[in-house]
Amino acid sequence: MIKLAGIGHVLLRVADEKATKRFYHDVLGFRVAEQDPEHGGVFMTLGDGFHTLDIIQHPAPTDAVRPERGQLGLVHIAFKVDSYAALRDAYSHLLAKGVEIERALDHVCQRSLYFTDPDGNGLEIYYEMRDALSLFPNGRGDEDERLPLSRPTEPLPAWLLEDWPGPAAFAKVERLRRQAPAAAE
């Protein structure tokens, strides 16, 4: 069996390399580790390795097919934050940068924000309960709940202002743990 250490990086072929680089830098906080104008490509990092994301200019972007909801292949790239406060800050930051948040979901052991990059690639930012894997050794029995969104000029939705996960979230965890089927091997 191969022993993978993790996901190293994602390579995106993009319509406008400069615009995409600006989005991932200015909106999501990536920094450029290396740019290779001779061979093409921008290597960007979140600081935990040489590169997390590579972007390369498509040679004929006007002829290229953009990602579509429901197609085969990559659905989204998910970025984890270390605290619920960081998720709240990410929500506010995305709105302030003019990024449309398409939806927010409560996945029982995590809460997630979904949006797209300039080329329509799906992105997610989420916060996960500590020890989520040990909380759900037999699966979590997904009971996704759509969370309300706000506009940039409106107050944050109430779910972002609560101390999460709280007693109600842990009561749901306990209920699901008792009814979850055995995990597939």
Side-chain angles (χ1 to χ4, degrees), residues 48-114:
D48 55 354
F50 183 76
H51 57 141
T52 309
L53 180 71
D54 300 351
I55 55 176
I56 188 165
Q57 178 67 47
H58 190 288
T62 56
D63 299 332
V65 177
R66 293 178 60 88
E68 290 184 25
R69 196 172 185 87
Q71 74 181 31
L72 293 176
L74 181 71
V75 175
H76 65 254
I77 302 168
F79 302 102
K80 187 175 180 180
V81 293
D82 289 332
S83 70
Y84 198 61
L87 185 67
R88 182 182 317 113
D89 293 344
Y91 184 96
S92 296
H93 181 75
L94 291 170
L95 290 181
K97 291 290 188 176
V99 176
E100 178 189 355
I101 300 172
E102 295 176 345
R103 67 190 182 287
L105 293 175
D106 183 329
H107 294 289
V108 182
C109 67
Q110 75 184 48
R111 286 188 169 176
S112 303
L113 310 174
Y114 296 90

